[in-house]
């Protein structure tokens, strides 16, 4: 059974540090929800509070309608997956998966049935009697997932489960965890500092900073409509261009910016004369197109560097001899750009996101 997890005004301090500073969060039933943010932002504290390893100083933690603040960890029916797998090295795959069921004193034949079904879910039926120390990192993490899921927890908690793996395996395991999650349909909270992991896997995510939740949304929404410069910079890459609002119409805002006049069609509530920071993603800057008369958001830039990355290439640009920008181009083989060249650049008005400038 999957349930909703809610944190209401949760505060957790360590000495003078607000690890959780009035957190309000609702994780929906069956959701794969990510907590994302830089080191020290409070992700692990939040996860451990849900698990029951930490007690909030104030506020409420609810599973469905039940207040969990005073329920000890072993009575919360949560399954946990750790970065270092935390499996018993002297036991086989099946013994590891069965361990939680034996603690719960489940009937032996039912235990066997559940272990076999969990092995099927992780597609490792052939490894049933293999000792843990004869498995790869990816296989061990799948066993750890099966061990967490076999007890049929109300909430699955994952603490940076992929960070011990090499880059290629991490990519494979993203799909594997997503597949297993969608099969089990369990409410899951997943902590990572890897934004690409969150973008590619999350149903929704919360971006945290200094113990606070800065923005919650689907990956697409958070990427396309970041609420401030911190989120825009943390989720993906971006360029910031300073400016002030020249005019504000119903669908179009014109910015007098340091790279010239920019038009933005992204909804905002800035007033004429206000200072703004325009966030422009590298992939939104089209480099080297023809100059079109009467078209807005065009400017000339000098190419200061080209970094070939196989599938894409990065163009480092300088506008007005002083404003650096980074652009990304696909199909790098199709271009013959040289460092020192001056090229026309274009940004669609839909891609100019206006944010409050940093103080
Ligand atoms: P990381 O990605 O590095 O694991 P995090 O986002 O998970 O970081 P937390 O571990 O939740 O961050 O820590 C949040 C803040 O609380 C940090 O400033 C940290 O130093 C502090 N903190 C966490 N645990 C303790 C503790 N047991 N005692 C004292 N301070 C702590």
């Amino acid at each position: 059974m999957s349930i909703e997890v809610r944190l209401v005004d949760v505060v957790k301090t360590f000495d003078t540090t607000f690890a959780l500073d009035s957190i309000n969060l609702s994780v929906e039933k069956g959701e794969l929800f990510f907590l994302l943010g830089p080191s020290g932002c409070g992700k692990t504290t939040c996860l451990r509070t849900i698990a029951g390893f930490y007690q909030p100083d104030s506020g409420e933690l609810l599973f469905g309608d039940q207040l969990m603040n005073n329920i000890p960890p072993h009575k919360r029916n949560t399954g946990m997956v750790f970065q270092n797998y935390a499996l018993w090295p002297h036991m086989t795959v099946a013994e590891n998966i069965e361990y939680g069921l034996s603690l719960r004193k489940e009937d032996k034949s039912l235990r066997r049935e559940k272990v076999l079904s969990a092995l099927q879910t992780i597609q490792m039926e052939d490894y049933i009697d293999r000792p843990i120390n004869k498995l790869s990192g990816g296989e061990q993490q799948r066993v750890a997932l099966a061990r967490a899921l076999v007890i049929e927890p109300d909430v699955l908690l994952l603490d940076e489960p992929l960070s011990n793996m090499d880059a290629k395996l991490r990519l494979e395991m993203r799909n594997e965890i997503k597949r297993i999650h969608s099969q089990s349909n369990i409410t899951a909270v997943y902590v990572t500092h890897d934004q690409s992991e969150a973008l590619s896997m999350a149903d929704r995510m919360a971006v945290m900073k200094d113990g606070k939740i800065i923005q919650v949304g689907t990956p697409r929404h958070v990427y396309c409509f970041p609420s401030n410069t911190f989120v825009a910079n943390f989720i993906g890459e971006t360029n910031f261009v300073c400016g002030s609002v020249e005019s504000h119409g119903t669908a179009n805002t014109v910015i007098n910016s340091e790279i010239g006049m920019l038009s933005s069609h992204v909804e905002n509530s800035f007033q004429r004369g206000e200072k703004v920071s325009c966030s422009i993603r590298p992939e939104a800057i089209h480099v080297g197109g023809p100059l079109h008369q009467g078209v807005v958001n065009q400017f000339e830039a000098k190419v200061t560097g080209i970094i070939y990355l196989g599938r894409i290439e990065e163009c480092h640009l300088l506008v007005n001899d002083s404003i650096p920008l980074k652009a990304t181009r696909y199909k790098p083989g199709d271009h013959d750009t040289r460092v020192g060249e001056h090229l026309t650049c274009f940004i669609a008005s839909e891609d100019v996101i206006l944010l409050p400038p940093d103080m």
Side-chain angles (χ1 to χ4, degrees):
M1 186 194 67
S2 64
I3 55 163
E4 185 191 21
V5 174
R6 269 190 309 140
L7 284 83
V8 183
D9 281 332
V10 169
V11 173
K12 175 70 191 167
T13 53
F14 295 108
D15 304 321
T16 54
T17 306
F18 277 79
L20 301 180
D21 191 355
S22 212
I23 295 290
N24 285 289
L25 192 64
S26 214
V27 181
E28 290 165 16
K29 286 182 187 176
E31 213 176 15
L32 180 54
F33 190 92
F34 272 63
L35 295 172
L36 177 70
S39 185
C41 70
K43 313 177 286 291
T44 309
T45 306
C46 194
L47 199 76
R48 290 179 147 258
T49 304
I50 298 171
F53 302 134
Y54 293 144
Q55 278 264 315
D57 300 348
S58 60
E60 292 183 343
L61 170 71
L62 297 125
F63 286 4
D65 291 332
Q66 195 186 357
L67 184 65
M68 302 302 288
N69 289 40
N70 296 318
I71 311 277
H74 63 279
K75 295 211 169 136
R76 290 192 181 195
N77 200 27
T78 55
M80 192 107 188
V81 178
F82 300 93
Q83 188 177 121
N84 59 2
Y85 320 133
L87 296 165
W88 299 109
H90 59 285
M91 289 185 186
T92 64
V93 166
E95 286 164 351
N96 263 283
I97 298 175
E98 199 178 335
Y99 185 73
L101 297 172
S102 8
L103 285 185
R104 292 176 178 214
K105 306 214 175 353
E106 289 218 14
D107 173 75
K108 200 164 172 49
S109 62
L110 193 62
R111 280 194 332 235
R112 193 72 186 168
E113 210 177 287
K114 286 187 177 177
V115 169
L116 288 174
S117 151
L119 277 168
Q120 226 170 30
T121 306
I122 59 166
Q123 297 176 343
M124 283 182 68
E125 295 101 310
D126 296 344
Y127 293 69
I128 185 161
D129 293 320
R130 181 85 69 91
I132 286 300
N133 55 13
K134 297 218 165 107
L135 296 178
S136 72
E139 288 160 354
Q140 288 190 43
Q141 199 53 300
R142 275 149 71 194
V143 174
L145 254 175
R147 186 188 53 180
L149 288 171
V150 79
I151 59 164
E152 295 167 44
D154 290 331
V155 185
L156 178 66
L157 303 170
L158 304 111
D159 191 0
E160 307 230 15
L162 305 185
S163 52
N164 272 354
M165 297 176 192
D166 65 48
K168 193 161 181 291
L169 186 57
R170 266 208 312 263
L171 289 180
E172 284 170 24
M173 283 300 290
R174 283 182 194 175
N175 296 335
E176 187 61 3
I177 293 181
K178 252 192 105 63
R179 180 187 68 76
I180 293 169
H181 173 262
S182 63
Q183 261 187 26
S184 62
N185 195 32
I186 215 162
T187 309
V189 183
Y190 186 126
V191 160
T192 185
H193 60 262
D194 182 337
Q195 42 106 2
S196 63
E197 213 164 284
L199 284 175
S200 61
M201 295 176 71
D203 290 324
R204 285 189 313 143
M205 61 197 205
V207 183
M208 296 183 69
K209 184 187 179 211
D210 299 335
K212 293 189 174 68
I213 289 180
I214 308 296
Q215 189 171 1
V216 177
T218 62
R220 207 173 280 270
H221 187 84
V222 173
Y223 186 82
C224 295
F225 304 105
S227 59
N228 62 22
T229 53
F230 168 76
V231 176
N233 208 20
F234 189 76
I235 307 292
E237 270 190 282
T238 199
N239 299 283
F240 291 118
V241 174
C242 301
S244 59
V245 178
E246 186 77 8
S247 68
H248 193 151
T250 41
N252 185 33
T253 309
V254 178
I255 308 299
N256 187 355
S257 88
E258 51 192 353
I259 61 168
M261 287 296 178
L262 286 176
S263 138
S264 169
H265 288 181
V266 183
E267 199 181 319
N268 67 83
S269 53
F270 290 101
Q271 303 296 315
R272 190 163 180 267
E274 266 191 276
K275 294 224 173 310
V276 290
S277 190
C278 308
S279 168
I280 301 160
R281 300 284 186 193
E283 67 272 19
I285 303 178
H286 303 275
V287 182
L291 181 69
H292 292 289
Q293 291 304 321
V295 172
V296 294
N297 294 357
Q298 288 184 110
F299 55 93
E300 194 182 78
K302 183 178 165 185
V303 179
T304 58
I306 296 167
I307 300 175
Y308 177 74
L309 295 167
R311 199 161 47 94
I312 57 164
E313 79 184 358
E314 277 177 15
C315 279
H316 293 248
L317 307 166
L318 201 60
V319 187
N320 298 339
D321 283 332
S322 58
I323 314 297
L325 294 178
K326 190 197 275 186
T328 331
R329 296 205 295 198
Y330 298 89
K331 296 196 180 172
D334 291 359
H335 305 284
D336 183 23
T337 309
R338 288 175 211 290
V339 170
E341 249 182 290
H342 285 79
L343 296 173
T344 304
C345 300
F346 166 73
I347 305 163
S349 301
E350 289 71 26
D351 292 328
V352 179
I353 299 160
L354 306 183
L355 300 170
D358 285 334
M359 291 304 156

